[in-house]
Amino acid sequence: MAFGKGHHLHLIDGSAFIFRAYHALPPLTRKSDGLPIGAVSGFCNMLQRYVEGNAGGDVTHLAVIFDKGSHTFRNDMYDLYKANREAMPEDLRPQIPLTRRATEAFNIACKELAGFEADDIIATLSCQAREAGGQVTIISSDKDLMQLVGDGVEMFDAMKNKRIDRDGVFEKFGVFPDRVVDVQALAGDSVDNVPGAPGIGIKTAALLINEFGSLEDLLDRAEEIKQPKRRQTLVEHRAQIEMSKKLVQLDCGMELDFGLDDLEVKDPDPEVLLGFLTEMEFRSLTKRISDALNVEAPAIPEPEVQAGAGAAPEAPPISADKYECVSDMAALEGWIARAYARGWVAVDTETTGLNEMIADLVGVSLCVEAGEACYIPLTHRGGAAQKDGTEDLFSEKADDSLAAGQIALDAALAALKPMLEDPSILKIGQNMKYDAKIFARYGIEIAPIDDTMLMSYAMHAGEHGHGMDTLAEQYLGHRPIPIKELIGSGKSQITFDRVPIETAVTYAAEDADVTLRLWQLFKPQLHRAKVTRVYETMERPLVPVLAKMEMAGIKVDRQTLSRMSSAFAQKMAGLEAEIHELAGEKFNVGSPAQLGEILFDKMSLEGGKKGKNGKYSTGADVLEDLATEYDLPRRVLDWRQLSKLKSTYTDALQEHINKDTGRVHTSYSIAGANTGRLASTDPNLQNIPVRSEEGRRIREAFVAEPGKVLVSLDYSQIELRILAHVADIEALKQAFRDGQDIHAMTASEMFNVPMEEMTSDVRRQAKAINFGVIYGISGFGLARNLRIPRAEAQGFIDRYFERFPGIKAYMDDTVEFAKKHDRVETLFGRVIHTPEINAKGPRSGFAKRAAINAPIQGTAADIIRRAMVRMPDAIAGLPATMLLQVHDELLFEVDEGSVDPLIAIAKEVMEGAADPVVHLDVPLIVEAGQGHSWAEAH
DNA sequence: AATATCACG
DNA sequence: GACGTACGTGATATTT
């Protein structure tokens, strides 16, 4: 049947795929001969992911379109077209033909035409398909293709997984697709070297086109433009603009030597596809595609094994074949014996929930060798329904009895305990803190441990997440069974103990299997990545320390919170009434959208700025400005503060008080923040209010047990001290040595004000600059922070860099290092990857500032991690417990009589935490506070 | 599920 | 008249 209505053509922009693949991946080479294949590998992965993503979809026709040669008809028109394009990297060139072969191997049509760009072929095919009444999706995010969108033609940004339709084009260009070329002709394009009109960008171009209707009308009526400079530009550059339009206008009427019908989707021939992949020596992709095609993966010969590498045999594919359900003691003893024989074992627990303080153990899985794993079900329930084979939903729900075929919980744990606690057996896990806490509640102190999540974090922070699914997919080419397939999601979600044992075995054993494989892969890599010390001294030993802190929890007084909640509710009701009165109508004060309309439409106050969603911004800074003149915004600010305190703290914290312990137990994620900081969740105890007087009172609810005291120790100005050290600023270092007020000193240096005459306002400004430097300062940001004109802020920054040239040098050096290596490092060797640093557009700005900040924030994070690792031993003799960490603060609970010794010891540990690895040129100073509540202690 | 807002260092 | 801008987090409520 000829292409027409009901058919859907997908066109992949091949060059975009190649470049994306090339830049996204490290320079891989084929093992056997060193042929560069990184881009081909990425290209194949992207194709495979695309095919998977569209399986069962409505795609009927498909082609990958490539550019051919560099000289096109546009060069004949304008010899500078794409002239400033960088030469193709040497190691990419030989990969281009291979991507064509890859496309053919996938049995996807592969098209190109000399003298034309891929964009023109895509344009022609799109037009043909549209005219035939079919649908088109162009897989690309190239803005040059956006002119084609509309009437059944859409684009799809595979990177962002986002469809781009007419509205999407409007968002980008400010005009609909039919006027995109007009805007491009005016704005030009520095990437393609399309000149356009000097000084006019997309924003202005869209404004003009929308005003005059079209480029032709605009040029004809250019004299009507009000702004003199703009008018002159358009008149003077008319010819150049008209040529620019020809350059960006895609050719819809090319003669092609093939038709739409030649692009029909075809299944790949497994032999051809796998043949190509094996030839390229793509191991994980070969495996993954073999699985997808349901054929056996062809073997890829291992070239030569490095001497001493252990000659590990290729791991078998991940499958449930050898997963065993352990249902009697003899079998369990067998697995424990295997762990002893090996010296290591991957362990994973299955439980009834995510909160380790509440969840109950349901089963344990073990793996001692890739592919060979077991699951030991312990407390699965609802066995009765399975026995007679009937599905009675009601009785299943009611059936709390243990399912058959399980070892008694206490017997199994008694058998496992010696092995799990044996110092000679390494227990390997993914996010071991979780399992350690579960086991701890059953009286088992699992040790020693290795953690694949933390290994990934040490090597790959900033590159991707470190959850098992991410790692399995990235490094094993395998998608583990999603937990949702077993327990469902949302309201109908069940707990793991309700999952039938047979299903649980394949899921749980797979997790242990995957964990062991990741460990075997990562373990030798730590050294090569030079992060062994980071992992061994700052990640791995932190697991038991955090586990104990989280289990200790902190006492929170429900009564105090409850009283505050009521008080807040009352005040809020009063404010709400006043707000409605002032607004002249009732509305939801908590809705920024409604508030925006009231303020800026109904009351038509100044300063209403709409964001990209057409909504007014009503953030605190906006309201703060309005509050100087009007009452309503002030009331809303007050209401918001109370609303925040009530919902996030005084209400929510009560829900987190554990029934058994009467305390609140947070959970720290070790591998969450890229910089090495911890993050606290469920609840977050690292953002308990302190800055406002009213908020600080919430800390009165965090108390010590009777007879005990809370002690807070925090590093003073740790990040600025680190900055002074790494940037090597003698004046700052000396000021810290002398114990001076660093902000006042900065102000004095910058503004030539003697210290004795320092005003609080000048000091405040200097303080903002000091912090700004740590964040990768910009004139704009500082101006907004200090609410001063931008030029003035820029002046401050210039003067700061003039006075402290080392800081500027440090910032430049750091960015340069990041650009060269795609990563930065802390003083202790923690690696933070900065994959966006060489991106262009606004994202590079973000990446630059992040790169400047990361070594400073990260070094501070390293220091407190080191202190925490040493702390338990240091305070072992004292009746004291470490409870919380808040980035630069540690909170302890200690018997009244031992406050002073605790402060002395903990302070010494914290102040000396950098030693002996790093010797800082500045002293680290820790300040201590104590009291019955956190409010007093801090 | 995304966005806006606001709490902390 | 190009563009968008402090760094790092998590929780909540509203809106889609």
Side-chain angles (χ1 to χ4, degrees):
Chain A
M1 194 171 77
F3 186 94
K5 210 167 159 53
H7 286 155
H8 193 163
L9 168 65
H10 274 210
L11 295 168
I12 295 175
D13 181 350
S15 307
F17 260 42
I18 295 174
F19 279 94
R20 201 167 271 175
Y22 177 74
H23 290 293
L25 290 173
L28 305 174
T29 53
R30 183 158 65 183
K31 254 192 189 170
S32 57
D33 62 356
L35 177 76
I37 44 154
V40 186
S41 161
F43 183 87
C44 289
N45 266 304
M46 288 162 78
L47 269 191
Q48 169 64 9
R49 227 173 299 152
Y50 164 82
V51 170
E52 273 174 7
N54 282 285
D58 63 341
V59 191
T60 56
H61 295 68
L62 169 64
V64 182
I65 313 294
F66 293 96
D67 292 310
K68 181 159 193 182
S70 54
H71 191 94
T72 70
F73 70 94
R74 290 190 177 81
N75 295 102
D76 297 334
M77 242 162 20
Y78 178 57
D79 53 6
L80 290 176
Y81 180 68
K82 294 201 172 178
N84 58 4
R85 185 142 290 191
E86 274 183 47
M88 184 180 294
E90 269 317 303
D91 59 333
L92 177 55
R93 198 177 296 277
Q95 302 191 58
I96 302 294
L98 292 175
T99 58
R100 309 283 200 277
R101 280 192 53 206
T103 310
E104 281 157 7
F106 274 89
N107 208 6
I108 298 171
C110 170
K111 300 294 176 189
E112 60 197 334
L113 196 61
F116 289 88
E117 292 184 55
D119 290 359
D120 294 306
I121 305 177
I122 292 174
T124 301
L125 289 171
S126 298
C127 292
Q128 287 179 3
R130 172 160 47 193
E131 272 156 35
Q135 257 191 299
V136 182
T137 299
I138 300 166
I139 291 94
S140 173
S141 54
D142 189 342
K143 59 186 175 359
D144 297 338
L145 288 166
M146 291 191 177
Q147 55 183 278
L148 302 172
V149 168
D151 288 338
V153 181
E154 269 189 359
M155 288 175 68
F156 183 79
D157 184 339
M159 196 75 156
K160 294 184 188 146
N161 210 8
K162 215 175 95 183
R163 286 170 46 217
I164 304 168
D165 53 11
R166 279 172 55 85
D167 294 334
V169 173
F170 190 88
E171 229 171 77
K172 174 89 192 164
F173 279 105
V175 295
F176 286 107
D178 52 335
R179 292 287 160 228
V180 161
V181 281
D182 292 358
V183 168
Q184 284 185 290
L186 281 173
D189 184 344
S190 57
V191 180
D192 292 348
N193 212 25
V194 173
I200 290 186
I202 287 181
K203 284 278 152 78
T204 313
L207 205 76
L208 289 168
I209 295 299
N210 283 325
E211 189 180 338
F212 287 83
S214 73
L215 182 64
E216 287 66 32
D217 288 339
L218 170 67
L219 292 175
D220 288 341
R221 293 160 51 203
E223 298 296 339
E224 295 170 28
I225 298 171
K226 294 178 200 87
Q227 298 86 337
K229 202 163 177 194
R230 204 177 276 177
R231 181 171 60 230
Q232 195 191 349
T233 304
L234 289 192
V235 173
E236 267 177 25
H237 295 89
R238 177 165 191 153
Q240 183 176 318
I241 294 166
E242 285 172 333
M243 185 207 49
S244 295
K245 178 160 178 175
K246 283 190 195 144
L247 286 177
V248 297
Q249 178 78 56
L250 296 179
D251 187 349
C252 250
M254 289 173 55
E255 298 241 349
L256 300 174
D257 56 359
F258 59 91
L260 291 172
D261 297 329
D262 298 322
L263 309 182
E264 225 172 311
V265 170
K266 289 168 286 185
D267 284 333
D269 177 339
E271 206 170 310
V272 175
L273 178 52
L274 292 171
F276 176 77
L277 297 172
T278 356
E279 184 191 329
M280 293 294 115
E281 299 172 15
F282 297 153
R283 286 179 172 72
S284 56
L285 192 60
T286 304
K287 215 179 290 171
R288 198 161 116 207
I289 291 183
S290 307
D291 287 351
L293 296 174
N294 242 334
V295 297
E296 201 176 326
I300 298 171
E302 196 74 24
E304 55 195 272
V305 179
Q306 283 175 10
E314 178 86 345
I318 300 173
S319 87
D321 295 352
K322 293 200 178 167
Y323 294 163
E324 182 185 324
C325 180
V326 171
S327 49
D328 59 64
M329 281 307 285
L332 177 57
E333 296 292 355
W335 279 91
I336 292 171
R338 292 184 69 180
Y340 271 100
R342 260 264 179 274
W344 68 62
V345 57
V347 182
D348 187 32
T349 55
E350 303 302 335
T351 65
T352 54
L354 286 172
N355 185 335
E356 318 92 315
M357 290 299 296
I358 298 168
D360 291 320
L361 187 63
V362 176
V364 176
S365 48
L366 304 175
C367 177
V368 289
E369 191 165 327
E372 294 177 33
C374 74
Y375 178 59
I376 311 149
L378 296 170
T379 60
H380 284 259
R381 291 169 200 282
Q386 284 176 318
K387 249 187 213 161
D388 56 7
T390 56
E391 281 271 351
D392 185 336
L393 291 173
F394 296 101
S395 75
E396 197 178 359
K397 201 175 174 187
D399 185 4
D400 278 344
S401 63
L402 283 175
Q406 299 184 98
I407 307 174
L409 178 66
D410 49 358
L413 290 178
L416 283 165
K417 182 175 157 97
M419 187 272 282
L420 292 175
E421 295 185 341
D422 192 316
S424 70
I425 309 293
L426 179 65
K427 271 69 66 175
I428 300 151
Q430 163 74 13
N431 188 13
M432 263 299 211
K433 178 156 68 66
Y434 182 89
D435 306 277
K437 284 171 76 178
I438 295 291
F439 279 128
R441 288 201 10 247
Y442 291 84
I444 296 175
E445 277 196 53
I446 186 167
I449 57 119
D450 242 343
D451 192 324
T452 48
M453 177 181 81
L454 300 185
M455 290 178 165
S456 171
Y457 183 57
M459 292 189 288
H460 304 294
E463 287 184 328
H464 50 64
H466 312 285
M468 179 145 78
D469 293 352
T470 309
L471 299 182
E473 174 141 18
Q474 184 94 10
Y475 298 101
L476 304 177
H478 176 77
R479 265 181 228 265
I481 304 166
I483 185 74
K484 276 184 187 164
E485 282 185 15
L486 308 199
I487 62 172
S489 64
K491 215 167 51 166
S492 57
Q493 198 170 57
I494 56 169
T495 47
F496 201 84
D497 56 341
R498 301 276 167 194
V499 173
I501 289 176
E502 289 147 71
T503 336
V505 171
T506 51
Y507 169 85
E510 182 188 67
D511 277 5
D513 187 9
V514 164
T515 303
L516 186 81
R517 288 169 197 250
L518 286 172
W519 178 76
Q520 287 176 329
L521 184 69
F522 286 162
K523 191 82 181 176
Q525 290 176 349
L526 287 172
H527 227 77
R528 271 177 265 160
K530 300 189 166 60
V531 291
T532 305
R533 191 175 65 206
V534 170
Y535 174 74
E536 291 293 342
T537 65
M538 297 191 292
E539 319 285 9
R540 190 160 84 127
L542 201 56
V543 171
V545 177
L546 288 176
K548 288 196 189 82
M549 288 170 66
E550 294 169 14
M551 287 189 288
I554 181 166
K555 185 172 182 184
V556 173
D557 185 61
R558 185 189 297 275
Q559 287 250 306
T560 306
L561 291 178
S562 165
R563 268 198 301 270
M564 292 174 103
S565 277
S566 310
F568 290 152
Q570 218 161 35
K571 276 196 189 173
M572 283 168 68
L575 282 168
E576 201 170 327
E578 287 180 38
I579 290 166
H580 290 162
E581 175 76 20
L582 285 165
E585 67 179 281
K586 293 206 168 185
F587 69 101
N588 185 349
V589 183
S591 161
Q594 293 179 33
L595 176 66
E597 279 182 35
I598 297 276
L599 286 173
F600 301 115
D601 287 338
K602 184 169 180 198
M603 303 175 64
S604 48
L605 303 190
E606 301 286 310
K609 252 203 256 145
K610 290 194 181 184
K612 56 183 165 199
N613 295 349
K615 300 270 176 57
Y616 291 111
S617 163
T618 67
D621 48 348
V622 176
L623 297 188
E624 203 67 57
D625 284 341
L626 294 170
T628 55
E629 280 198 56
Y630 305 96
D631 287 337
L632 195 147
R634 173 90 271 149
R635 300 272 195 289
V636 174
L637 282 168
D638 292 345
W639 183 90
R640 276 200 187 151
Q641 194 200 4
L642 295 176
S643 162
K644 182 80 175 180
L645 294 178
K646 182 170 185 293
S647 67
T648 310
Y649 301 104
T650 55
D651 285 352
L653 272 176
Q654 297 186 53
E655 306 296 311
H656 282 284
I657 298 175
N658 185 292
K659 284 195 183 67
D660 299 329
T661 64
R663 298 167 76 94
V664 171
H665 305 265
T666 185
S667 178
Y668 289 100
S669 57
I670 320 182
N674 288 335
T675 53
R677 273 196 179 177
L678 300 178
S680 158
T681 64
D682 308 300
N684 182 352
L685 295 186
Q686 289 182 321
N687 72 346
I688 302 302
V690 69
R691 291 175 188 168
S692 80
E693 187 55 48
E694 235 169 351
R696 188 155 53 229
R697 297 203 49 207
I698 289 172
R699 295 187 175 219
E700 291 171 9
F702 290 75
V703 293
E705 294 283 352
K708 300 194 178 204
V709 174
L710 291 180
V711 171
S712 158
L713 293 124
D714 71 294
Y715 285 106
S716 159
Q717 311 281 15
I718 187 164
E719 293 193 356
L720 276 176
R721 287 171 197 264
I722 290 165
L723 175 70
H725 172 89
V726 295
D728 197 19
I729 313 297
E730 195 46 49
L732 292 180
K733 292 196 293 192
Q734 194 57 47
F736 278 124
R737 284 186 209 116
D738 297 344
Q740 284 190 49
D741 176 338
I742 197 68
H743 301 310
M745 176 266 172
T746 309
S748 165
E749 287 279 353
M750 276 186 63
F751 302 110
N752 290 319
V753 183
M755 292 287 272
E756 309 81 57
E757 294 168 30
M758 186 59 54
T759 65
S760 66
D761 198 56
V762 173
R763 182 183 178 278
R764 183 182 61 86
Q765 295 193 323
K767 183 177 173 181
I769 298 166
N770 274 334
F771 279 106
V773 167
I774 293 175
Y775 299 148
I777 201 159
S778 78
F780 183 92
L782 184 64
R784 198 172 59 173
N785 191 288
L786 285 176
R787 295 169 173 269
I788 58 176
R790 202 182 146 164
E792 197 179 331
Q794 192 56 54
F796 286 179
I797 294 170
D798 294 344
R799 199 152 0 144
Y800 186 94
F801 286 150
E802 216 172 282
R803 181 59 197 82
F804 304 113
I807 303 258
K808 182 85 170 75
Y810 163 76
M811 293 170 77
D812 294 344
D813 290 351
T814 305
V815 171
E816 201 188 321
F817 184 94
K819 281 188 171 165
K820 194 166 162 203
H821 300 103
D822 280 340
R823 62 184 164 81
V824 292
E825 285 175 18
T826 67
L827 287 181
F828 296 89
R830 175 183 301 284
V831 173
I832 298 136
H833 294 269
T834 57
E836 301 264 74
I837 194 83
N838 286 311
K840 39 188 185 172
R843 287 198 315 206
S844 75
F846 280 112
K848 258 191 202 171
R849 294 191 293 272
I852 291 166
N853 175 255
I856 303 170
Q857 189 182 117
T859 298
D862 289 347
I863 289 174
I864 198 165
R865 275 186 187 227
R866 293 168 60 86
M868 292 171 75
V869 167
R870 294 178 186 177
M871 199 60 75
D873 281 348
I875 63 170
L878 294 173
T881 321
M882 184 158 58
L883 304 184
L884 300 178
Q885 187 250 45
V886 191
H887 308 308
D888 63 0
E889 170 188 6
L890 292 175
L891 190 71
F892 298 82
E893 188 173 27
V894 56
D895 282 6
E896 271 166 358
S898 299
V899 170
D900 291 340
L902 171 75
I903 290 179
I905 292 173
K907 200 172 166 207
E908 193 182 323
V909 171
M910 288 173 76
E911 291 182 343
D915 302 323
V917 175
V918 170
H919 178 76
L920 293 173
D921 292 342
V922 290
L924 288 177
I925 298 297
V926 168
E927 286 163 355
Q930 56 173 297
H932 179 251
S933 77
W934 198 3
E936 294 168 28
H938 184 80

